[in-house]
């Protein structure tokens, strides 16, 4: 039998849903905001229906996007952005506290502006007479992205003509995926379809690239993504600039979500470095194609390691004349052992979402005094940094970057040190 309950939302859950207690057991309410007073109908199977928001949290706002209820891209638009930044800052702090760090320094935090995202991964589906292009709704099908307050307007402007050209391709028999990176040279497109491109498809894509000033369009099989990609249309050079250095990333290459966050992350890393001379070795792990490598090379000699061959090849070919040495190495299968860090003055790492895994154990057992960790996952940060805590490191500085607005994702730059001299100067 169903019952009516009045309850207050206590906090957020891991997916951004509001946490309430029903019979002392946790339950999660989508779109609820901590501080909301809710009237709920709870079924005998614990199915929950929100009947009313009896009083709204001070941090509750109206969603800015008409697609909020359906699109899977933003789960937290009912919360004011400043409150979200505060919550994400707390996620990072709690992750470090769970790892054993109690005396944390003051946390610096920033949030990117709306309509600044320059990297998008979309899905598309052919329906009778049209193509829908957008994100998957929560546990569901593709929602057509007719509105977006996150992505750069230059990317959003491409969606309508992309629907048109996708609808004309013989290779689009059902669904597929589309990745777009807005590099310094312009949009770079990687298309995945079930069927192979036919010759007329290639002509259409080339014409599309020429019309919309897209330097490169690449394709790969959705069914066999490990077969790699092929460039099907190129109108000009493809590059991304880090200061005065221009590198050519591979199709689908990793790019920080916004230009503002790219700058903020690099600045936080550089600010956390110990005093270096230009010959001091900086070991950089999970280097990608140079987001941090190039700025770091202005401070010392960078030994960059990356497991993705095309990314490290792009860095190597574009960093000629820089103080950068590149090594292709899968750090999850062949991590650097503690002895290999003997000459390192500082270690900088930007691991994938799962964290540094076994590599972190070798770092913790090394004699390196200073480590700068760029995190995109508080849970992985907590696990990895616990090893550093056991090895005697303390947290020197923390910078939180919210580059994924209205989502649960958060980026952070955390500096660890064993230097008592540096810790004595730490802000608290």
């Amino acid at each position: 039998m169903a019952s009516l309950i009045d309850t207050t939302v206590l906090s957020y859950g891991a997916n951004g849903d509001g946490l309430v207690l029903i019979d002392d057991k946790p339950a999660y309410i989508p779109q609820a905001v901590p501080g909301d007073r809710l009237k709920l109908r709870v079924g005998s199977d614990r199915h929950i229906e929100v009947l009313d928001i009896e009083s709204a949290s001070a941090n509750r706002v109206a969603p800015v996007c008409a697609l909020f209820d359906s699109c899977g891209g933003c789960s937290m638009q009912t919360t004011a952005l400043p409150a979200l930044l505060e919550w994400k800052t707390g996620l990072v702090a709690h992750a470090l506290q769970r790892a054993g760090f109690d005396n944390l320094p003051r946390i610096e935090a920033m949030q990117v502006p709306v309509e600044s995202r320059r990297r998008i991964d979309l899905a598309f589906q052919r329906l009778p007479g049209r193509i829908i292009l957008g994100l998957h709704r929560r546990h569901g099908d593709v929602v057509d992205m007719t509105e977006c307050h996150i992505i750069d307007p230059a990317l959003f402007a491409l969606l309508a003509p992309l629907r048109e050209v996708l609808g004309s391709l013989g290779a689009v028999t059902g669904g597929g995926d589309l990745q777009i990176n807005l590099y310094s040279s312009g949009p770079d497109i990687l298309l995945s379809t079930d069927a192979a491109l036919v010759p007329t498809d290639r002509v259409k894509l080339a014409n599309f690239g020429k019309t919309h000033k897209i330097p490169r369009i690449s394709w790969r099989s959705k069914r066999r993504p490990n077969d790699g990609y092929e460039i099907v249309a190129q109108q000009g050079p493809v590059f991304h600039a880090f200061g005065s250095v221009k590198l050519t990333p591979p199709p689908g290459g990793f790019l920080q979500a916004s230009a503002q966050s790219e700058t903020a992350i690099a600045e936080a890393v550089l600010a956390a470095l110990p005093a270096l001379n230009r010959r001091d070795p900086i070991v950089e792990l999970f280097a990608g194609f140079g987001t941090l490598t190039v700025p770091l090379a202005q401070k010392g000699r960078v030994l960059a390691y990356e497991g993705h061959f095309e990314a490290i090849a792009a860095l190597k070919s574009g960093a000629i004349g820089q103080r950068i040495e590149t090594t292709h190495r899968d750090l999850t299968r062949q991590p650097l052992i503690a002895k290999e860090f003997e000459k390192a003055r500082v270690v900088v790492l930007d691991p994938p979402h799962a964290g540094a895994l076994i590599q972190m154990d070798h770092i913790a057992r090394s004699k390196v005094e200073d480590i700068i960790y760029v995190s995109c996952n508080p849970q992985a940060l907590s696990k990895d940094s616990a090893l550093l805590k056991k090895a005697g490191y303390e947290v020197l500085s923390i910078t939180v970057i919210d580059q994924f607005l209205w989502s649960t994702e958060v980026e952070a730059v955390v500096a660890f040190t064993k230097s008592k001299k540096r810790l004595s100067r730490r802000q608290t």
Side-chain angles (χ1 to χ4, degrees), residues 338-382:
K339 186 177 181 180
E340 293 180 273
F341 293 105
E342 283 184 353
K343 296 182 179 180
R345 179 62 185 86
V346 59
V347 173
V348 177
L349 67 158
D350 185 0
H353 195 265
L357 303 176
I358 193 173
Q359 178 63 83
M360 204 65 198
D361 182 57
H362 293 284
I363 296 173
R365 289 192 283 111
S366 74
K367 296 181 180 179
V368 179
E369 274 200 337
D370 294 286
I371 296 166
I372 303 172
Y373 187 116
V374 182
S375 165
C376 62
N377 179 357
Q379 290 183 337
L381 171 64
S382 184

Side-chain angles (χ1 to χ4, degrees), residues 189-232:
I189 295 177
L190 176 58
L191 170 67
S192 301
T193 59
D194 287 330
L197 297 174
V198 299
T200 54
D201 290 343
R202 297 171 185 274
V203 173
K204 291 172 183 176
L205 289 172
N207 289 336
F208 178 83
K210 184 177 181 180
T211 299
H212 296 281
K213 297 181 174 59
I214 298 171
R216 181 175 66 187
I217 301 175
S218 307
W219 174 88
R220 68 182 173 192
S221 170
K222 183 174 174 61
R223 295 179 179 177
R224 298 183 302 279
N226 292 333
D227 287 354
Y229 61 83
E230 61 173 297
I231 298 172
V232 297

Side-chain angles (χ1 to χ4, degrees), residues 11-73:
S11 62
Y12 290 114
N15 294 321
D17 299 331
L19 168 65
V20 298
L21 294 179
I22 299 175
D23 297 330
D24 294 326
K25 296 180 180 179
Y28 298 93
I29 313 297
Q31 304 180 18
V33 178
D36 282 346
R37 184 71 180 172
L38 306 178
K39 180 178 284 295
L40 307 177
R41 177 184 285 121
V42 183
S44 57
D45 59 353
R46 285 184 65 86
H47 173 75
I48 300 172
E49 179 185 358
V50 179
L51 299 180
D52 187 29
I53 301 176
E54 295 183 325
S55 62
S57 166
N59 292 321
R60 172 174 281 277
V61 295
V64 299
C65 183
L67 298 178
F68 171 66
D69 283 333
S70 55
C71 176

Side-chain angles (χ1 to χ4, degrees), residues 39-292:
K39 180 178 284 295
L40 307 177
R41 177 184 285 121
V42 183
S44 57
D45 59 353
R46 285 184 65 86
H47 173 75
I48 300 172
E49 179 185 358
V50 179
L51 299 180
D52 187 29
I53 301 176
E54 295 183 325
S55 62
S57 166
N59 292 321
R60 172 174 281 277
V61 295
V64 299
C65 183
L67 298 178
F68 171 66
D69 283 333
S70 55
C71 176
C74 299
S75 62
M76 303 183 75
Q77 279 194 7
T78 52
T79 300
L81 285 174
L84 277 181
L85 180 59
E86 182 180 357
W87 175 64
K88 292 183 181 186
T89 300
L91 288 180
V92 175
H94 294 156
L96 292 166
Q97 288 164 351
R98 287 196 304 272
F101 298 98
D102 296 322
N103 183 26
L104 295 179
R106 177 171 54 86
I107 300 177
E108 301 292 334
M110 67 85 69
Q111 196 168 49
V112 301
V114 299
E115 296 184 346
S116 63
R117 189 174 174 90
R118 59 184 182 178
R119 184 186 83 232
I120 52 175
D121 298 289
L122 303 175
F124 58 86
Q125 185 71 40
R126 184 184 288 280
L127 297 180
R130 67 190 182 106
I131 293 286
I132 57 173
L133 173 65
L135 300 172
H136 286 277
R137 72 178 77 243
R138 201 174 193 181
H139 310 303
D141 53 3
V142 182
V143 176
D144 207 25
M145 188 179 281
T146 55
E147 181 179 344
C148 187
H149 297 261
I150 292 178
I151 65 174
D152 189 293
L155 294 186
F156 185 78
L158 283 175
L159 300 190
L162 275 168
R163 292 184 186 93
E164 183 177 349
V165 72
L166 289 171
S168 72
L169 300 181
V172 179
T173 57
D177 300 313
L178 194 67
Q179 294 176 263
I180 311 177
N181 279 328
L182 187 57
Y183 294 130
S184 302
S185 56
D188 189 57
I189 295 177
L190 176 58
L191 170 67
S192 301
T193 59
D194 287 330
L197 297 174
V198 299
T200 54
D201 290 343
R202 297 171 185 274
V203 173
K204 291 172 183 176
L205 289 172
N207 289 336
F208 178 83
K210 184 177 181 180
T211 299
H212 296 281
K213 297 181 174 59
I214 298 171
R216 181 175 66 187
I217 301 175
S218 307
W219 174 88
R220 68 182 173 192
S221 170
K222 183 174 174 61
R223 295 179 179 177
R224 298 183 302 279
N226 292 333
D227 287 354
Y229 61 83
E230 61 173 297
I231 298 172
V232 297
Q234 186 151 359
Q235 310 296 329
V238 177
F239 63 87
H240 192 63
F242 300 108
S244 61
V245 178
K246 294 181 178 180
L247 303 177
T248 300
F254 176 79
L255 184 68
Q256 292 294 348
S258 73
Q260 294 89 341
S261 59
E262 179 179 276
T263 298
I265 291 168
E267 289 179 346
V269 169
L270 296 182
L273 290 172
L276 300 173
N277 66 53
R278 293 172 67 85
R279 294 182 180 180
D280 280 338
I282 302 170
V283 173
E284 185 193 10
L285 308 177
F286 310 99
F289 73 90
T291 303
L292 296 175

